[in-house]
Amino acid sequence: MDALVSVLKSHPGSTVLVFALVFRLIHRLLQRLPVPKVVKQDDHTWKWRNLSVSMVHSLLTGTWAVTCVMVWPETLTNLHSYYTSLSYLLVCVSTGYFVQDAGDIILTGHTRASWEFLIHHSLVISCFMYSLYTKLYVGGAVIALFVEVNSVTLHLRLLLKLANAQSSPMYQINKYINIFTYITFRLSTQFYLTWYIVHNYTWLDNGSFFLASMMGMNIMILIYFYRLLRADFFPQSWRSVRPNGTHNNNSKRFLTD
């Protein structure tokens, strides 16, 4: 493993492209799986397959990141310079996914509908590539991937919505688990990373770049959390009443719900 990672460290850019191709292959393989009829009827096939690949990434990297910290707890306290071969490989794999997903969004003509994800992916890719080339903040990237634990339930929620299964027991159970993992693995992780950068800002390499990136992502996840709560727990509040008493549900939204 160490020998393999040594080779990867010498060519981080090429390594990321290889893993991007691997996730593209996974995308192709998932196309062979059946898609719910209602998804085809509503013309959401691309979104279903895109989310399916994202689910594979989240299951893999979320479990991987938590395992790395459990086996090597120093990762949690030394985000700047501590990392292991498996941690470095994890960041390579995850960066490859984000490159693939960004490419999928752009090349399939979904840029306008998914602009917020492209912003998120750009921030993640820039931070992760910096870590891969400099060998700094690899531990921070591993901790950042804790959010993928929440992404599992978040993607499941969206897949169930595409299948019109909002009234199913699975959706109802998942929405509570989703809120729990959102607070535990997404909000807590982002705030810990932000605290670490602010607390150690005076000596961190390129601290301003990482702080700005974290603040941008913090704003996005807080807005999404607000909208998630309203969509799943206070759905009636989404309605806006027009002067004539009719309801308007077509207002622009920052993130898809």
Side-chain angles (χ1 to χ4, degrees), residues 12-205:
S14 301
T15 300
V16 168
L17 290 178
V18 168
F19 284 117
L21 292 175
V22 170
F23 277 104
R24 193 61 190 171
L25 177 61
I26 293 173
H27 184 279
R28 289 294 181 90
L29 293 175
L30 289 175
Q31 288 185 359
R32 300 185 179 184
L33 298 178
V35 176
K37 186 179 296 184
V38 66
V39 175
K40 291 183 179 179
Q41 291 174 345
D42 294 340
D43 196 25
H44 288 150
T45 301
W46 173 82
K47 193 170 185 179
W48 178 274
R49 288 171 174 163
N50 181 269
L51 283 170
S52 298
V53 179
S54 297
M55 177 71 84
V56 172
H57 168 258
S58 297
L59 285 168
L60 173 64
T61 58
T63 304
W64 193 339
V66 173
T67 301
C68 282
V69 173
M70 291 178 64
V71 177
W72 298 286
E74 189 176 346
T75 305
L76 188 62
T77 56
N78 187 357
L79 307 186
H80 177 259
S81 55
Y82 180 81
Y83 70 95
T84 65
S85 295
L86 276 176
S87 298
Y88 190 90
L89 181 60
L90 167 60
V91 180
C92 289
V93 171
S94 190
T95 308
Y97 160 75
F98 285 112
V99 169
Q100 184 278 149
D101 194 53
D104 185 45
I105 291 172
I106 294 171
L107 295 177
T108 55
H110 292 87
T111 302
R112 180 176 297 181
S114 304
W115 62 269
E116 70 279 3
F117 296 109
L118 288 177
I119 293 176
H120 171 270
H121 288 5
S122 297
L123 291 172
V124 172
I125 292 170
S126 60
C127 291
F128 281 14
M129 289 302 297
Y130 177 92
S131 296
L132 293 177
Y133 273 100
T134 65
K135 316 302 185 297
L136 299 175
Y137 301 105
V138 176
V142 172
I143 300 302
L145 287 171
F146 271 39
V147 303
E148 296 302 329
V149 176
N150 167 247
S151 292
V152 173
T153 57
L154 202 59
H155 295 330
L156 178 59
R157 172 185 179 274
L158 292 173
L159 288 170
L160 290 170
K161 289 196 71 173
L162 290 178
N164 285 338
Q166 295 96 317
S167 59
S168 67
M170 181 178 292
Y171 187 93
Q172 297 304 314
I173 293 172
N174 182 73
K175 75 178 186 178
Y176 290 102
I177 299 175
N178 186 38
I179 290 297
F180 173 77
T181 57
Y182 203 105
I183 295 172
T184 306
F185 290 97
R186 191 174 293 273
L187 289 177
S188 298
T189 295
Q190 290 291 129
F191 292 157
Y192 175 70
L193 291 171
T194 303
W195 171 85
Y196 184 91
I197 295 172
V198 171
H199 186 70
N200 301 284
Y201 182 80
T202 55
W203 62 270
L204 287 176
D205 298 273

